[in-house]
Amino acid sequence: MITKDSIETAYSFLHQKRNVYIHSQLDWQKDDIEYAIASYVDGMNQELYDGLSDGRKDFLRDHKRFSEDITTAVELLEKML
């Protein structure tokens, strides 16, 4: 079951991290954000993650697609609010 609280929490966390990530010029800062997000999604409501990831196991965990993934996740969560 996806609760409103889980959506709001995920949105707040990912939105804030995304904003820092897209404006950062520091590789170490971007790496830290990617690590924090990967750690977060490991404990995230599984049903919510499955809905956001569209079945991709590496969603928000793949360095090469991270920027695209986090933008997609924030947009989807915003629609759920």
Side-chain angles (χ1 to χ4, degrees), residues 62-77:
D62 180 358
H63 175 72
K64 293 175 187 169
R65 293 185 55 146
F66 184 80
S67 183
E68 179 185 336
D69 287 352
I70 196 165
T71 297
T72 298
V74 169
E75 288 171 355
L76 290 170
L77 287 163

Side-chain angles (χ1 to χ4, degrees), residues 12-59:
S12 296
F13 185 68
L14 295 177
H15 183 267
Q16 186 267 341
K17 294 296 184 193
R18 180 190 154 278
N19 285 345
V20 174
Y21 187 88
I22 63 174
H23 296 292
S24 179
Q25 300 297 316
L26 306 170
D27 288 338
W28 65 265
Q29 187 176 41
K30 288 183 170 189
D31 289 343
D32 285 355
I33 290 169
E34 289 182 35
Y35 178 78
I37 297 296
S39 295
Y40 177 79
V41 298
D42 285 344
M44 182 181 207
N45 175 300
Q46 190 62 47
E47 191 175 343
L48 179 57
Y49 180 77
D50 291 343
L52 296 175
S53 69
D54 196 29
R56 276 192 40 232
K57 300 286 186 214
D58 64 348
F59 186 72

Side-chain angles (χ1 to χ4, degrees), residues 1-8 10 44-52 77 80-81:
M1 171 182 230
I2 302 173
T3 65
K4 184 176 179 175
D5 285 345
S6 66
I7 295 168
E8 289 173 347
M44 182 181 207
N45 175 300
Q46 190 62 47
E47 191 175 343
L48 179 57
Y49 180 77
D50 291 343
L52 296 175
L77 287 163
M80 296 172 144
L81 290 174

